[in-house]
Amino acid sequence: MTTEVRKQPFYTEKLENGDTAKNFDDDGRAKRTGTLLTASAHIITAVIGSGVLSLAWAIAQLGWVTGTVVLIVFSVITYFTSTLLADSYRSPDPVSGKRNYTYMDVVRSHLGGYKVQLCGIAQYGNLIGVTIGYTITASISMVAVKRSNCFHDKGTRDHEQCSISSYPFMSVFAIIQIILSQIPNFHKLSWLSILAAVMSFAYSSIGLALSIAKVAGGGPHPRTTLTGTTVGVDVTGSEKIWRTFQSIGDIAFAYNYSTVLIEIQDTLRSPPSENKVMKKASLAGVSTTTMFYMLCGCLGYAAFGNKAPGNFLTGFGFYEPFWLIDFANICIAVHLVGAYQVFAQPIFGFVESTCSKRWPESQFIAAEHPIPIPFCGVLHINFFRMVWRTAYVIITSVIAMLLPFFNDFLGLIGAASFYPLTVYFPIEMYIARAKIPKFSFTWVWLKILSWVCLTVSIVAAAGSIEGLITDLKTYKPFKNAED
């Protein structure tokens, strides 16, 4: 085995047949091969995630009218700001300007100053939170498979005997992520994102079909209302307020992909121009997911009414057919395996590129060790990448074990990331790039949109924090949980 030191260890590749211009872009990076299909797959993988599972519960808190309106408003805002962000990928011209490889690079080019650091804190803090949340959700789905089989054998009332710990499944998920985390960068993830996107459609469709079957079936229909859960019947007055705020955070989390939009756009080959392809991919991704969200959220609410569980596939709103519930939860786990990587790769890339610039002569950081793999070519092993990524997965898994709360955690992540990354920075960069005069009509309505979204994020975060505090009062770490 030989050691090969690269000048650009994070993003370039040494080809067996020699370096040729056709294999690299004009900036010296590896040739991009992404298309509209792969970008759409990345977006769908990032958007249709565990957030869809909590939408029936969120609609139950808000009701038919407000719940539907909030879903539509979030989708419109997300698509609008994603088009602004896509135009910021190159600077100063969105078609022929210099490429910006990360969200922080985009903010640095268009805004600069302290806002770059604020962007980094918001983006990477959110990405870390998402990977923790996906570890929690994947383990819950794995547990649901065993519990579904247990309920089928022993009856749905035997909850105590069917209580199963999620911690071994978190460990299994972590081991899988340690292996997949050795994939060098985003450019190598297309196959995993396409598989994950297929899985997301599969379990969303199963949940949708089960909801339709429950609504169409005989028996008394659950109670639903225009305003959701009823004070004095389903919840207390304070619970109604906090759950309403938390449900807004859950919906915000369901549209959480702006954090990785630039990294996805950086995989697109050019021509055609990246911003045009990314806008089409965003339209396809957001419209597709909104359709699924409307169907799953509204039909899930129709199926369960104001008693909708926080996660309608793992909260056992459905018990039969148990084999279909098992398959749906397996699809969730497989999807989250890929989604974890979509959100983790920007973290990996940021740390590795920063370290390679700071210590360019370090053999531990820069050296790539080629290992021939029969029938698969050559695998390049980097010791720093292996150690750091393994440590990251282990740390996030331990945090997930300490805070295994599904809805509250998702709501908090969604609330914390929606305003700065989906709304504030795209709007501010557009104002700076287009040189929009202060107090002009466009400037005023963009600022109003920004402040309204800030208010929404604050109340959503407050609801999720209150939910976490309530959960922690009765939580015992490393104990088996029934749900």
Side-chain angles (χ1 to χ4, degrees):
M1 182 176 69
T2 59
T3 298
E4 163 188 306
V5 180
R6 306 178 184 182
K7 293 181 180 179
Q8 297 169 310
F10 167 53
Y11 47 73
T12 60
E13 295 184 2
K14 190 78 175 177
L15 302 177
E16 291 183 354
N17 58 351
D19 295 339
T20 57
K22 68 179 182 179
N23 293 312
F24 294 89
D25 280 325
D26 54 5
D27 59 356
R29 292 194 170 217
K31 198 77 171 180
R32 294 165 296 160
T33 59
T35 63
L36 176 60
L37 174 63
T38 60
S40 299
H42 284 316
I43 292 172
I44 292 172
T45 299
V47 180
I48 299 185
S50 53
V52 72
L53 304 172
S54 66
L55 289 180
W57 179 88
I59 298 295
Q61 312 314 307
L62 298 171
W64 287 115
V65 177
T66 306
T68 303
V69 170
V70 170
L71 269 174
I72 294 174
V73 168
F74 269 91
S75 68
V76 171
I77 292 174
T78 300
Y79 173 67
F80 170 68
T81 56
S82 70
T83 62
L84 302 183
L85 193 54
D87 282 337
S88 302
Y89 171 66
R90 288 183 180 269
S91 59
D93 184 83
V95 177
S96 58
K98 179 181 71 70
R99 284 168 56 194
N100 296 294
Y101 309 113
T102 67
Y103 203 133
M104 283 184 68
D105 289 340
V106 171
V107 174
R108 184 179 292 108
S109 295
H110 294 282
L111 299 177
Y114 70 94
K115 292 182 179 179
V116 179
Q117 284 70 41
L118 289 179
C119 173
I121 293 171
Q123 182 188 13
Y124 293 107
N126 170 255
L127 291 172
I128 292 169
V130 171
T131 55
I132 294 170
Y134 281 179
T135 303
I136 295 170
T137 312
S139 67
I140 290 172
S141 294
M142 295 176 196
V143 166
V145 174
K146 290 199 70 173
R147 295 192 73 207
S148 174
N149 295 335
C150 181
F151 288 141
H152 179 72
D153 293 335
K154 299 180 180 180
T156 58
R157 294 183 180 180
D158 201 348
H159 280 246
E160 186 174 347
Q161 288 192 38
C162 293
S163 178
I164 298 167
S165 174
S166 62
Y167 303 121
F169 296 97
M170 287 188 186
S171 300
V172 171
F173 185 80
I175 292 170
I176 294 171
Q177 292 303 335
I178 288 172
I179 296 171
L180 290 177
S181 291
Q182 305 313 311
I183 296 174
N185 53 53
F186 234 128
H187 301 271
K188 306 297 183 182
L189 278 180
S190 296
W191 65 272
L192 189 58
S193 280
I194 291 173
L195 173 62
V198 171
M199 293 296 102
S200 66
F201 278 119
Y203 69 73
S204 298
S205 299
I206 291 171
L208 181 60
L210 290 171
S211 296
I212 293 172
K214 190 174 180 66
V215 171
H221 291 289
R223 185 171 59 87
T224 63
T225 63
L226 292 177
T227 57
T229 51
T230 305
V231 175
V233 178
D234 305 302
V235 291
T236 64
S238 61
E239 284 176 337
K240 176 68 175 179
I241 294 172
W242 290 121
R243 289 187 180 188
T244 296
F245 291 166
Q246 184 186 333
S247 63
I248 293 174
D250 283 359
I251 293 175
F253 179 83
Y255 284 102
N256 180 33
Y257 88 99
S258 294
T259 48
V260 292
L261 185 146
I262 295 298
E263 283 78 1
I264 293 173
Q265 191 167 347
D266 191 47
T267 67
L268 295 173
R269 64 190 179 202
S270 180
S273 61
E274 301 92 348
N275 64 328
K276 291 182 179 179
V277 177
M278 197 63 199
K279 288 177 182 178
K280 291 179 181 178
S282 294
L283 179 60
V286 172
S287 59
T288 301
T289 53
T290 300
M291 178 186 69
F292 266 83
Y293 286 175
M294 291 291 289
L295 291 171
C296 290
C298 293
L299 284 172
Y301 180 42
F304 301 111
N306 292 342
K307 300 296 184 182
N311 182 326
F312 76 162
L313 283 176
T314 63
F316 291 94
F318 304 108
Y319 288 96
E320 296 290 345
F322 80 99
W323 59 269
L324 189 59
I325 307 299
D326 288 353
F327 179 71
N329 280 297
I330 291 171
C331 288
I332 294 172
V334 173
H335 167 254
L336 293 179
V337 165
Y340 184 103
Q341 286 299 312
V342 168
F343 284 96
Q345 284 291 337
I347 304 172
F348 297 156
F350 172 73
V351 171
E352 288 156 20
S353 62
T354 300
C355 290
S356 66
K357 291 174 184 176
R358 188 177 180 90
W359 298 286
E361 303 303 321
S362 170
Q363 287 285 313
F364 178 67
I365 294 174
E368 297 280 345
H369 305 274
I371 300 177
I373 304 295
F375 310 110
C376 297
V378 177
L379 174 66
H380 290 279
I381 297 296
N382 177 280
F383 290 140
F384 173 68
R385 183 168 64 230
M386 181 184 298
V387 172
W388 133 248
R389 295 189 181 193
T390 299
Y392 175 85
V393 173
I394 292 173
I395 292 170
T396 54
S397 299
V398 171
I399 295 173
M401 291 177 183
L402 293 173
L403 296 171
F405 310 120
F406 177 73
N407 281 70
D408 300 322
F409 203 87
L410 262 58
L412 183 58
I413 295 170
S417 64
F418 178 76
Y419 173 69
L421 299 171
T422 302
V423 179
Y424 175 75
F425 284 117
I427 286 178
E428 290 299 309
M429 288 189 289
Y430 173 74
I431 291 173
R433 188 179 72 252
K435 296 181 173 58
I436 296 174
K438 273 190 176 182
F439 306 112
S440 64
F441 174 77
T442 302
W443 186 91
V444 169
W445 78 260
L446 285 174
K447 288 293 185 178
I448 290 173
L449 173 63
S450 182
W451 282 102
V452 168
C453 290
L454 173 60
T455 304
V456 169
S457 291
I458 290 173
V459 299
S464 297
I465 291 172
E466 193 278 338
L468 280 172
I469 292 172
T470 301
D471 289 337
L472 286 171
K473 288 179 180 178
T474 58
Y475 171 62
K476 296 180 180 180
F478 302 104
K479 299 289 185 183
N480 288 2
E482 288 189 6
D483 298 311

PDB file of all heavy atoms in Angstrom, residues 109-111 425-436 443:
ATOM      1  N   SER A 109     -19.632  36.102   0.211  1.00  0.00           N
ATOM      2  CA  SER A 109     -19.523  36.846  -1.048  1.00  0.00           C
ATOM      3  C   SER A 109     -20.506  38.007  -1.124  1.00  0.00           C
ATOM      4  O   SER A 109     -20.189  39.055  -1.685  1.00  0.00           O
ATOM      5  CB  SER A 109     -19.756  35.903  -2.234  1.00  0.00           C
ATOM      6  OG  SER A 109     -18.746  34.926  -2.319  1.00  0.00           O
ATOM      7  N   HIS A 110     -21.725  37.810  -0.586  1.00  0.00           N
ATOM      8  CA  HIS A 110     -22.781  38.807  -0.764  1.00  0.00           C
ATOM      9  C   HIS A 110     -22.972  39.736   0.423  1.00  0.00           C
ATOM     10  O   HIS A 110     -23.411  40.881   0.241  1.00  0.00           O
ATOM     11  CB  HIS A 110     -24.109  38.102  -1.065  1.00  0.00           C
ATOM     12  CG  HIS A 110     -24.128  37.390  -2.375  1.00  0.00           C
ATOM     13  ND1 HIS A 110     -24.297  38.033  -3.573  1.00  0.00           N
ATOM     14  CD2 HIS A 110     -23.992  36.070  -2.682  1.00  0.00           C
ATOM     15  CE1 HIS A 110     -24.269  37.158  -4.565  1.00  0.00           C
ATOM     16  NE2 HIS A 110     -24.084  35.961  -4.049  1.00  0.00           N
ATOM     17  N   LEU A 111     -22.662  39.282   1.637  1.00  0.00           N
ATOM     18  CA  LEU A 111     -22.910  40.092   2.826  1.00  0.00           C
ATOM     19  C   LEU A 111     -21.634  40.386   3.607  1.00  0.00           C
ATOM     20  O   LEU A 111     -21.387  41.525   3.996  1.00  0.00           O
ATOM     21  CB  LEU A 111     -23.929  39.390   3.737  1.00  0.00           C
ATOM     22  CG  LEU A 111     -25.323  39.135   3.138  1.00  0.00           C
ATOM     23  CD1 LEU A 111     -26.192  38.360   4.124  1.00  0.00           C
ATOM     24  CD2 LEU A 111     -26.007  40.443   2.738  1.00  0.00           C
ATOM     25  N   PHE A 425     -31.262  35.059   5.448  1.00  0.00           N
ATOM     26  CA  PHE A 425     -30.087  35.198   4.592  1.00  0.00           C
ATOM     27  C   PHE A 425     -30.437  35.260   3.099  1.00  0.00           C
ATOM     28  O   PHE A 425     -29.882  36.103   2.375  1.00  0.00           O
ATOM     29  CB  PHE A 425     -29.085  34.075   4.877  1.00  0.00           C
ATOM     30  CG  PHE A 425     -28.310  34.283   6.140  1.00  0.00           C
ATOM     31  CD1 PHE A 425     -28.422  33.383   7.190  1.00  0.00           C
ATOM     32  CD2 PHE A 425     -27.481  35.374   6.310  1.00  0.00           C
ATOM     33  CE1 PHE A 425     -27.726  33.569   8.374  1.00  0.00           C
ATOM     34  CE2 PHE A 425     -26.774  35.579   7.487  1.00  0.00           C
ATOM     35  CZ  PHE A 425     -26.900  34.671   8.519  1.00  0.00           C
ATOM     36  N   PRO A 426     -31.340  34.404   2.580  1.00  0.00           N
ATOM     37  CA  PRO A 426     -31.697  34.550   1.159  1.00  0.00           C
ATOM     38  C   PRO A 426     -32.260  35.925   0.814  1.00  0.00           C
ATOM     39  O   PRO A 426     -31.922  36.505  -0.227  1.00  0.00           O
ATOM     40  CB  PRO A 426     -32.757  33.454   0.961  1.00  0.00           C
ATOM     41  CG  PRO A 426     -32.410  32.411   1.966  1.00  0.00           C
ATOM     42  CD  PRO A 426     -31.945  33.192   3.160  1.00  0.00           C
ATOM     43  N   ILE A 427     -33.113  36.487   1.693  1.00  0.00           N
ATOM     44  CA  ILE A 427     -33.695  37.810   1.434  1.00  0.00           C
ATOM     45  C   ILE A 427     -32.627  38.894   1.509  1.00  0.00           C
ATOM     46  O   ILE A 427     -32.542  39.775   0.639  1.00  0.00           O
ATOM     47  CB  ILE A 427     -34.837  38.090   2.423  1.00  0.00           C
ATOM     48  CG1 ILE A 427     -36.065  37.258   2.053  1.00  0.00           C
ATOM     49  CG2 ILE A 427     -35.191  39.578   2.443  1.00  0.00           C
ATOM     50  CD1 ILE A 427     -37.243  37.422   2.998  1.00  0.00           C
ATOM     51  N   GLU A 428     -31.774  38.849   2.524  1.00  0.00           N
ATOM     52  CA  GLU A 428     -30.737  39.870   2.669  1.00  0.00           C
ATOM     53  C   GLU A 428     -29.749  39.820   1.505  1.00  0.00           C
ATOM     54  O   GLU A 428     -29.293  40.867   1.020  1.00  0.00           O
ATOM     55  CB  GLU A 428     -30.000  39.676   3.998  1.00  0.00           C
ATOM     56  CG  GLU A 428     -30.832  40.002   5.223  1.00  0.00           C
ATOM     57  CD  GLU A 428     -31.287  41.453   5.243  1.00  0.00           C
ATOM     58  OE1 GLU A 428     -30.434  42.348   5.079  1.00  0.00           O
ATOM     59  OE2 GLU A 428     -32.496  41.699   5.420  1.00  0.00           O
ATOM     60  N   MET A 429     -29.401  38.627   1.048  1.00  0.00           N
ATOM     61  CA  MET A 429     -28.471  38.522  -0.085  1.00  0.00           C
ATOM     62  C   MET A 429     -29.113  39.017  -1.374  1.00  0.00           C
ATOM     63  O   MET A 429     -28.454  39.634  -2.206  1.00  0.00           O
ATOM     64  CB  MET A 429     -27.995  37.072  -0.231  1.00  0.00           C
ATOM     65  CG  MET A 429     -27.034  36.643   0.867  1.00  0.00           C
ATOM     66  SD  MET A 429     -26.260  35.030   0.587  1.00  0.00           S
ATOM     67  CE  MET A 429     -27.638  33.930   0.846  1.00  0.00           C
ATOM     68  N   TYR A 430     -30.396  38.760  -1.531  1.00  0.00           N
ATOM     69  CA  TYR A 430     -31.091  39.272  -2.721  1.00  0.00           C
ATOM     70  C   TYR A 430     -31.133  40.792  -2.716  1.00  0.00           C
ATOM     71  O   TYR A 430     -30.877  41.440  -3.749  1.00  0.00           O
ATOM     72  CB  TYR A 430     -32.508  38.714  -2.780  1.00  0.00           C
ATOM     73  CG  TYR A 430     -33.343  39.318  -3.887  1.00  0.00           C
ATOM     74  CD1 TYR A 430     -33.121  38.972  -5.225  1.00  0.00           C
ATOM     75  CD2 TYR A 430     -34.331  40.249  -3.604  1.00  0.00           C
ATOM     76  CE1 TYR A 430     -33.873  39.532  -6.253  1.00  0.00           C
ATOM     77  CE2 TYR A 430     -35.094  40.819  -4.613  1.00  0.00           C
ATOM     78  CZ  TYR A 430     -34.855  40.467  -5.934  1.00  0.00           C
ATOM     79  OH  TYR A 430     -35.596  41.031  -6.939  1.00  0.00           O
ATOM     80  N   ILE A 431     -31.428  41.390  -1.556  1.00  0.00           N
ATOM     81  CA  ILE A 431     -31.459  42.846  -1.451  1.00  0.00           C
ATOM     82  C   ILE A 431     -30.088  43.439  -1.780  1.00  0.00           C
ATOM     83  O   ILE A 431     -29.980  44.439  -2.500  1.00  0.00           O
ATOM     84  CB  ILE A 431     -31.915  43.276  -0.038  1.00  0.00           C
ATOM     85  CG1 ILE A 431     -33.402  42.936   0.160  1.00  0.00           C
ATOM     86  CG2 ILE A 431     -31.676  44.761   0.194  1.00  0.00           C
ATOM     87  CD1 ILE A 431     -33.911  43.168   1.572  1.00  0.00           C
ATOM     88  N   ALA A 432     -29.026  42.803  -1.252  1.00  0.00           N
ATOM     89  CA  ALA A 432     -27.675  43.303  -1.507  1.00  0.00           C
ATOM     90  C   ALA A 432     -27.278  43.115  -2.969  1.00  0.00           C
ATOM     91  O   ALA A 432     -26.691  44.024  -3.589  1.00  0.00           O
ATOM     92  CB  ALA A 432     -26.681  42.585  -0.593  1.00  0.00           C
ATOM     93  N   ARG A 433     -27.592  41.931  -3.523  1.00  0.00           N
ATOM     94  CA  ARG A 433     -27.189  41.639  -4.906  1.00  0.00           C
ATOM     95  C   ARG A 433     -27.925  42.512  -5.918  1.00  0.00           C
ATOM     96  O   ARG A 433     -27.346  43.004  -6.885  1.00  0.00           O
ATOM     97  CB  ARG A 433     -27.453  40.160  -5.204  1.00  0.00           C
ATOM     98  CG  ARG A 433     -26.888  39.695  -6.545  1.00  0.00           C
ATOM     99  CD  ARG A 433     -27.147  38.222  -6.795  1.00  0.00           C
ATOM    100  NE  ARG A 433     -28.553  37.951  -7.083  1.00  0.00           N
ATOM    101  CZ  ARG A 433     -29.387  37.346  -6.264  1.00  0.00           C
ATOM    102  NH1 ARG A 433     -28.962  36.942  -5.074  1.00  0.00           N
ATOM    103  NH2 ARG A 433     -30.640  37.126  -6.596  1.00  0.00           N
ATOM    104  N   ALA A 434     -29.234  42.686  -5.693  1.00  0.00           N
ATOM    105  CA  ALA A 434     -30.056  43.477  -6.624  1.00  0.00           C
ATOM    106  C   ALA A 434     -30.002  44.965  -6.338  1.00  0.00           C
ATOM    107  O   ALA A 434     -30.592  45.761  -7.078  1.00  0.00           O
ATOM    108  CB  ALA A 434     -31.502  42.987  -6.555  1.00  0.00           C
ATOM    109  N   LYS A 435     -29.289  45.353  -5.259  1.00  0.00           N
ATOM    110  CA  LYS A 435     -29.159  46.770  -4.868  1.00  0.00           C
ATOM    111  C   LYS A 435     -30.531  47.446  -4.760  1.00  0.00           C
ATOM    112  O   LYS A 435     -30.778  48.510  -5.326  1.00  0.00           O
ATOM    113  CB  LYS A 435     -28.269  47.521  -5.866  1.00  0.00           C
ATOM    114  CG  LYS A 435     -26.836  47.013  -5.893  1.00  0.00           C
ATOM    115  CD  LYS A 435     -25.988  47.815  -6.871  1.00  0.00           C
ATOM    116  CE  LYS A 435     -24.525  47.431  -6.795  1.00  0.00           C
ATOM    117  NZ  LYS A 435     -24.279  46.003  -7.058  1.00  0.00           N
ATOM    118  N   ILE A 436     -31.426  46.812  -4.027  1.00  0.00           N
ATOM    119  CA  ILE A 436     -32.785  47.341  -3.845  1.00  0.00           C
ATOM    120  C   ILE A 436     -32.737  48.515  -2.868  1.00  0.00           C
ATOM    121  O   ILE A 436     -32.219  48.381  -1.761  1.00  0.00           O
ATOM    122  CB  ILE A 436     -33.724  46.245  -3.311  1.00  0.00           C
ATOM    123  CG1 ILE A 436     -33.841  45.121  -4.351  1.00  0.00           C
ATOM    124  CG2 ILE A 436     -35.106  46.805  -2.992  1.00  0.00           C
ATOM    125  CD1 ILE A 436     -34.624  43.936  -3.891  1.00  0.00           C
ATOM    126  N   TRP A 443     -38.400  46.442  -1.069  1.00  0.00           N
ATOM    127  CA  TRP A 443     -37.640  46.361   0.184  1.00  0.00           C
ATOM    128  C   TRP A 443     -38.582  46.204   1.369  1.00  0.00           C
ATOM    129  O   TRP A 443     -38.343  45.387   2.269  1.00  0.00           O
ATOM    130  CB  TRP A 443     -36.784  47.619   0.332  1.00  0.00           C
ATOM    131  CG  TRP A 443     -35.848  47.607   1.492  1.00  0.00           C
ATOM    132  CD1 TRP A 443     -34.558  47.160   1.507  1.00  0.00           C
ATOM    133  CD2 TRP A 443     -36.123  48.073   2.826  1.00  0.00           C
ATOM    134  NE1 TRP A 443     -34.004  47.322   2.753  1.00  0.00           N
ATOM    135  CE2 TRP A 443     -34.946  47.880   3.590  1.00  0.00           C
ATOM    136  CE3 TRP A 443     -37.238  48.644   3.441  1.00  0.00           C
ATOM    137  CZ2 TRP A 443     -34.857  48.236   4.932  1.00  0.00           C
ATOM    138  CZ3 TRP A 443     -37.163  48.986   4.782  1.00  0.00           C
ATOM    139  CH2 TRP A 443     -35.993  48.784   5.520  1.00  0.00           C
TER     140      TRP A 443
END
